[in-house]
Amino acid sequence: MNSRHAAVWTVVHHERAALVRSLESLGPEQWAAPTACPGWDVHDVVAHLVDTAKTTRLRFVRDMVTARFDFDRQNAVGLARERCADPVDTLAALRAVVTRTSTPPAAIVTRLVEAFVHGEDIRRAVGLSGEYPVEQVAAALTFQLRTTVQLGGGKERASGLRLVTSDASVDSGVGSEVRGTALALLLAVSGRPVASDELSGPGAVTLIERATSGR
């Protein structure tokens, strides 16, 4: 494993462990809280994280063949496989994969996107907040800005806008400026709703609308 990959996995393992600690305090109604992932509650997102943590390149290919190369169907199959009847057991499964380094055939930075975005999906659904390493969040944001929506990124959502982070060194795009934290911008370009006070600038309304319009 090269140093860049090792650095990413260190962050991912830290985020998984922090999420486990957050989840340990949830009550049954919070596990059933809807998240920003359409149709998924907190329990579903946790099961998805277990599935992706276990996914190897070979398993991903097998699952995609079974799902007829439909990403949504593939995610649904993995979620059903890992979602236990009792959230306590799903949490135990997440705890068991905290230090895994298996990954689907994708850029290593996607593991950061997964950890930060889904971590916020869960925390925001139940009124919790997380603390994330800004430089790594900025790296995830930069990746999402280069990646199409079809492949899970947010390139089209940022089209015609200039995104500037208030806490990192990202300054990307040309057009109406949108300013916010790296985390807020990452969530928005990843298709997650953000509050109006999290972003500022003449392009903020446009990005907020795109984040929730399915574009």
Side-chain angles (χ1 to χ4, degrees):
M1 184 185 300
N2 63 42
S3 59
R4 178 169 173 268
H5 284 208
V8 168
W9 284 120
T10 295
V11 174
V12 170
H13 295 163
H14 178 273
E15 294 308 319
R16 287 176 182 164
L19 183 60
V20 166
R21 291 192 294 271
S22 294
L23 291 166
E24 287 171 342
S25 67
L26 299 190
E29 71 287 349
Q30 291 173 301
W31 278 92
T35 72
C37 298
W40 285 8
D41 61 16
V42 167
H43 194 174
D44 292 327
V45 179
V46 175
H48 171 71
L49 288 174
V50 174
D51 179 58
T52 56
K54 289 183 175 181
T55 296
T56 63
R57 295 172 186 271
L58 179 58
R59 174 166 149 173
F60 178 83
V61 171
R62 287 174 174 169
D63 284 354
M64 284 300 291
V65 171
T66 300
R68 290 172 287 179
F69 299 96
D70 183 311
F71 281 106
D72 290 338
R73 187 178 291 119
Q74 186 263 342
N75 280 333
V77 169
L79 188 158
R81 178 170 55 214
E82 301 298 341
R83 192 183 195 277
C84 302
D86 190 331
V88 171
D89 295 326
T90 307
L91 176 56
L94 180 62
R95 190 180 293 110
V97 299
V98 163
T99 60
R100 283 185 67 106
T101 57
S102 52
T103 177
I108 189 66
V109 70
T110 60
R111 300 307 88 202
L112 295 176
V113 175
E114 180 103 345
F116 300 144
V117 174
H118 283 321
E120 282 296 285
D121 286 337
I122 291 168
R123 290 187 172 99
R124 291 185 177 218
V126 295
L128 298 176
S129 59
E131 294 184 5
Y132 307 95
V134 174
E135 288 186 6
Q136 299 286 4
V137 175
L141 170 61
T142 299
F143 177 81
Q144 290 296 77
L145 291 172
R146 296 196 307 258
T147 307
T148 65
V149 170
Q150 184 178 11
L151 293 178
K155 184 176 180 179
E156 295 88 340
R157 295 187 185 100
S159 177
L161 300 172
R162 177 187 176 195
L163 273 58
V164 181
T165 53
S166 59
D167 57 351
S169 58
V170 178
D171 186 335
S172 176
V174 177
S176 299
E177 182 176 306
V178 185
R179 182 176 292 271
T181 65
L183 181 62
L185 290 170
L186 171 63
L187 294 175
V189 301
S190 300
R192 300 310 198 266
V194 295
S196 58
D197 62 357
E198 292 185 86
L199 301 177
S200 62
V205 171
T206 297
L207 182 56
I208 289 171
E209 289 177 349
R210 289 178 181 178
T212 57
S213 69
R215 175 173 177 177

